[in-house]
Amino acid sequence: MTGPHRITAGLLTDAAKAIGFSFDGRTLTGLAGDTLASALLANGVRLVGRSFKYHRPRGVVTVGPDEPCALVDVLTKSGREPNQLATTLELATGLAAESQNRWPSLGFDMFAINDRLSRFLPAGFYYKTFMAPGWAWERLYEPLIRRAAGLGRLQAAISDHAAPAETLHEHTDVLVVGAGTTGLAAAALLGASGLRVLLVDQDVALGGGSLLDARWTSWREAMLATLAKLDSVCCLPRTAVVGAYGHGVFGAVESLAPHRIAASGGLRERMRIIRARRVIFATGSVERLIAFPGNDVPGVMLASAALGYLHRYGVAVAHHPALFLNNDEAYEAAFALADAGVRCAGIIDVRPASKAADRARARGIEVHGNAVVAGVTGRRCVRALQVTDADGRNRRTIAADCLLMSGGYSPASALASQLGAALVWQSAIAAFTPALDSASGYVAGAARGCFGLAAAAQDGASAAVAIARDLGRILRISAPAPDLPVDPQGTSTSAVWEIRGRGKAFVDLQHDVTADDVRLAQREGYEHVEHMKRYTTHGMATDQGRIGGLVGSAVLAAARGVPLSRVGQPHPRPYLQPLSFAALAGMEVREHFKPKRRLPLHQWHESAGATFVPVGVWLRPLVYSKQTGWDPVLKEARAVRHSVGVTDVSTLGKIDVQGADAGRFLDFVYANSMSTLAVGRARYGIMLREDGMMLDDGTVSRFGPEHFLLTTTTANSAAILEHLEFQLQANCPTLDVLLTDVGDQWAQFALAGPRSREVLAAVVSGIDVANEAFPFMATAEANIAGRTGRLFRISFSGELAYELAVPASEAQSVWLAVLEAGKTFDIKPYGLDALNTLRIEKGHVTGAELNGNTSADDLGMQRMLKKQGDFVGRMLSQRSGLSAPDRLQLVGVRPADAARRLRNGAHVTLRETDTASLGYITSSTPTVEREGWVGLALVAGGRARIGQRLFARSVIHGESLPIDIVSAHMLDPENLRVRA
Amino acid sequence: MLRIPCPWCGERDEIEFRYRGDASVSRPAADAGIEAFTTYTYARENPRGWHLEWWLHVAGCRKLIKVVRHTLTHEIRAAGRADESLLLPPEGSGE
Amino acid sequence: MSAPEQNPATADGARVRFGPCATAIVELAARRGRSAAVEAVAARRGLPLPAYGRATFGGGQLAISVRPERWLLLSPPATPGLAGDTWQEACAGNAAVIDLSSGLAVIYLAGADSAEVLIRGCRLDLHPTKFPAGHAAATVIAQVAVTIVQLPAARLLLTPATTARHFAAWLAATGAPFGISQTGAVPFTAISGESFS
Amino acid sequence: MLWEGLRGHTGWPHAWRKAEPRPRYQVVIVGGGGHGLATAYYLATEFGIRDVAVVERGPIGLGNVGRNTTIIRSNYFQPDNVRFYEFSLKLWEGLEHALNFNAMVSQRGTLNLFHTEAQRDLFTRRANGMRLQRVDAVALNRAEVKARVPLVDLDNGRYPVLGGFLQPRGGTVRHDAVAWGYARAASAAGVDVIEQCAVTGIRRDGRRVTGIDTTRGLIKADTVCLAVAGHSSQLAEMAGLTLPIETHVLQAFVSESIKPVLDVVLTYGAGHFYVSQSDKGGLVFGGAIDGYNTFGQRGTLPMAEEVAAAAVTLLPGLARLRVLRQWGGVMDMSMDGSPIISKTPVDGLILNGGWCYGGFKAIPAGGMTTAHLIARGEPHPAAAHLDLGRFAAGRTIDERGIGPYPYLH
């Protein structure tokens, strides 16, 4: 019977399967199907943790996910997982758990002194203290507070990324949240109508409240059998809806059973994103605590918990329990325990009389009507209770080893609230119920205050009928078959929130918030419920204060002297249950975090020993060497300047533009004119944003009267395509233009260097590549190494250069042909670094200069702007601010001392020690042909400063070196080479 | 999460689209002057309520579409092709 | 919506498999107001162009419509008479004809668990009642553009060439719990073999 | 504290007076958030203007000052922004003693990671710009990053960490305490803090503002200041103004509380995500904006997935940590990503808004400079660049170089 308190067979436990586990190093035995909490209770373990602030002894309070106290660390091979709920943590062989927030041991905890000092540590005490001396907060007080705060310890293990995770995308007609009698009845009806239904419940078994009442077993089993037969219905136990996100979208997390975790390679949870046309919230209700002195002593728990441990796990939470309650439903715990042979020490009912009390007395259970619990004797476990009449008189002591409390039931309305439901006060049940408009969803059963299993089932059926009607289905039957057991006659709840007396009465057990703390907040003016919450941290712990939230509001209302309905309760935010980052992240993490875009020649580059660098989503060859430093880079660059090199520029965005109005459209999106471009010619072009700033640059080539190809920078390719599609569809809707992304279709290589023409001649056929026949900025279709491709005479390097474009699938053969043809000239492939070196020397801009804050004028391109005709950015580029003389303008820079290196990000100043920045260096590189470095910089009034000697200050490197401001066109300003 | 009813592709998750701003403003004529373009470029009605807006369905049909969305509740009342003229529901409705 | 561990992969992982499918691809993009003319041209060539969101098979080619007034035509590589240039002539003035054979990778995905794998990344409703054979849609999976074509007994996934390797890696990782297997090149006949009803 | 402890904490007075509106004030500030309360406080204490009311439609401090990720820093690209936010950081450093309220200003440092050489260049430029203005900034190499944040996986499978830039004086502040502290001190200095008082109209006499209509009646004023970031457009519309502002939601997340694992504010450079650990032990995460106008003060699912994916990628040890809550605050996104502290075309109507991501850390400076503008009639030197006129003139301060497209930020 694994444990002295295991008195009968449980619904979920397998008496045949004993499981060993350990708690605080102590080896214990439970059953398959146990939670850690049920196994501990079965073994008579009451003390399971220390509280957050006062380090008071704490025990198990609930039987499920609302648990505020029974949090433990779980030790796994990959580390230590904090704050696991013992009440939902399923027992697995070898499970090792440790209690939290105690030192040195659970039994004796040094920090428990806080409890004795508690009068000096009221809510918000830290706002008023720890201020002197000035330095002391970070260095003294804060570290102390931080060490004391926090519950579990996270032992981070990098290896945790191995933990698999997955996100499933679900679609359904109706999502039914909660599989109690309400949800089961609704799902069965909806499923029978042929609608797709997703029925989810956070519990390991479907049935909700019907799991705790033997009279409902046959009905429940009949329902589950019906559902299993319906193809259109999918039932997901262990699945908690954690957020409602509107538009019928819900986030849900399925927790896998221990044996499943093993079977699926360590997968722990499964995130499900559910898209539903309609939803039913059949989320039931949550039992409330009562605030009385000592309501946190281990052994004080919810009545529903005792009922749950008995039915689900066959565990009696105590030998001699008493009950303190204000409603009939909670009596069921006493009756069930009595049936199982546990004698009840008495029931303290705040109501003078009730039907349930009569039934109890008829069974020989003593009921103290019109009475309250004024205190608890015992520190580490309940030994006795102080009971008085409701007016505080007639104090007596009742011996008991456990107190089951029930302050009534609050409908679980969080999801409905997230969808905008207003909360309406219902005095009959002393609780708020959500008022949700039917367009957003339906709330049914206990979730809308309709208590009683049969009544709830009926309510679920009605909701199903209404939804089926919304979705155009007519439901004939509206009563869930088979016949429902009859709900017992009941007397209504009478609200009780707090029993005032000496000692701490907690409204939030996990954050150690007492009723006095709430009153203090009110006295200090933090009287709005959101202020009180933030000041006291009430309801902000992992349990979100579900069992005590309304009690705190009630204490606040009493202190303010206003009705509870006016105080309300804090707005519930996602997530209903704490949710692991792994589950939320899904599998698009680490190597899958962002797509890897690979060049058509990626494998060749790899085999050639390239060092790759991530550029946006691309992987690009930086240099064909594993050696760091500039030498290999300069070797590649030198080949281009002196002979010939070839580089892979396939990352350029490439957009095919066709149509009768293609030229007109390009005139509109480019600042310079494109319609005037002759067929067979290419042109450099710049695009502006509507605010007149530079957006992007590239080339435009014309293949035919109605056919253009434009290239964009690598970084902006996607954004430019979207920009053009927007401009075309929003601002030029009548134009006959077709935009097609051909970026992946074409591989493109730049063949650059004085010998490039000779290499080209060897690989192309059917075209005369002589300078006159194929001049600078010419373009043509060509047969390249036997493949149909395109040839451009374009230069980014400043040398005589060509770009060859061929279909990506032909890339390798053409690339190899070029290398072969180049052998005689010692051709070298060059990477991104060399490419950069070359373009910096030439004064060509890239993203470092096109940084979103530069205008065409800043970059010396004002002359390119069309004088005639509209184009994006035209008007606002004329604003005074964009041509102010002190704007940062593009210039070249050279260190006065050729031996010194430049640094990107160094600021330009007038004098060596100036603190006023005149601008900064954007790009720099060692030069290929001469000693020393060159760079590009954006300098205030830069063009007028050409010839001046200024300083490049990199304070973080402790440098300030003299630099000469020169023209950005540092190499071959007359463009002789490219035209050679 | 928004589920946007693309007139071409049907209801899709918001991540398939790129928002492109207020669709009720149109670009001034070329000669409208700097002030008109300043207003067009910088001024925003930014309503707390119904909003006619552009979305580009980048992961689907790549069409620019118009959507009538409530900026507080996120309710989408209508969606149409770029050339359709969609009417905004009366102010204050739909909250 | 069953979970992986409920579908143990068979020894050869045949419950789900995928492989590259070599095809020639051209896109017909109708010029403004010329889509009817393009459809007429295609019809004359024995290929009835599909309605939006559909795929049709004819004249040895698979036509897919996931962009308004545009059609992707898939055909066996280098088949005389089906190549882009012949369409170029046929559609002159009515459509831009753009070769995308190198721009898009075509993946053939088949097996009982292929839907199970896809819902772990695909946000569309692929339920047989909502997405039967002959349906096609462009969407995004694993942050990559993917066009899904539902064949009677398999699916084609078209994805940009430069991210195809990333997508295949995602597919392999996501399918691993289902014992997904990666096959060699799938011949075009595997597509043409599947008849649309 | 000791004395109150012994007498059962019965003596603590209201933190701020629950004031009733008077018919007229010299200055009425609309918005009982950080900037509104700070402006009132500095008007009363620095500029001797005590005839001030702060009107708030609900309870104070529940807008963005109570919804942000509590970070303070002054590491910006634009020199003007560095000057402004550094001014703010200096005020933070002396704030608690000025207010006699512990807002838990914790200068644990803010660390920006970078993953490419281009990012290194950008951050180098930023750090040098800061250092030139005598603002602290330090470059860290990979090893130093790892030493500072053991949780970081330097090689995280996609964008390896190349290094980081640290602003040691950056850090966090207990956000609620800021609103409460300013309200308490302003109230003590004679300011009326009027809660549950919604503005329904702005009264004008020709080009001049004369007061506001509220749910608690007309309140006349010589100067009306709008400090309602997130809803600036709606208030400005009451005065017939259209602003260069869109409202977007910025989200935050908090994990369960655990013992200390992170003692710096960490920002990922390859994805939208930053994180710090609160004194309560919860890890506080932030993401980017969703990219479309919204007034919905709530979290969304796609952003949660994105932030979690970035978190697990950079800090795999957090994979099993659980996130507790997700929420959102709605912000003014200005058309250049920089704030607006400015006179408006309506005489006597002052605007404090357009805070984008920077509102919380700017509270002391925003309050001080707005108070200066109100009291002196001319902008404070630290905020002279934040005028409304900059858009028409083309003097925008585009921190990110994105242009007038907030949805692209």
Side-chain angles (χ1 to χ4, degrees), chain A residues 37-38 41 60 62-63 87 305-315 317:
Chain A
S38 64
L41 289 168
V60 175
T62 73
V63 73
T87 51
L307 191 60
Y309 285 110
L310 185 66
H311 280 295
R312 295 165 65 97
Y313 312 102
V315 171
V317 296

Side-chain angles (χ1 to χ4, degrees), chain C residues 19-94:
Chain C
C21 184
T23 58
I25 305 172
V26 292
E27 182 174 54
L28 307 185
R31 295 273 292 267
R32 187 179 175 74
R34 308 297 299 161
S35 52
V38 176
E39 290 175 81
V41 170
R44 276 200 300 280
R45 308 182 103 220
L47 176 57
L49 292 179
Y52 188 72
R54 298 289 191 278
T56 54
F57 198 85
Q61 291 182 292
L62 179 66
I64 304 165
S65 170
V66 292
R67 291 184 62 180
E69 307 193 321
R70 288 183 184 237
W71 295 270
L72 287 169
L73 309 187
L74 275 58
S75 57
T79 314
L82 296 183
D85 45 5
T86 69
W87 280 103
Q88 197 87 51
E89 296 152 23
C91 294
N94 291 324

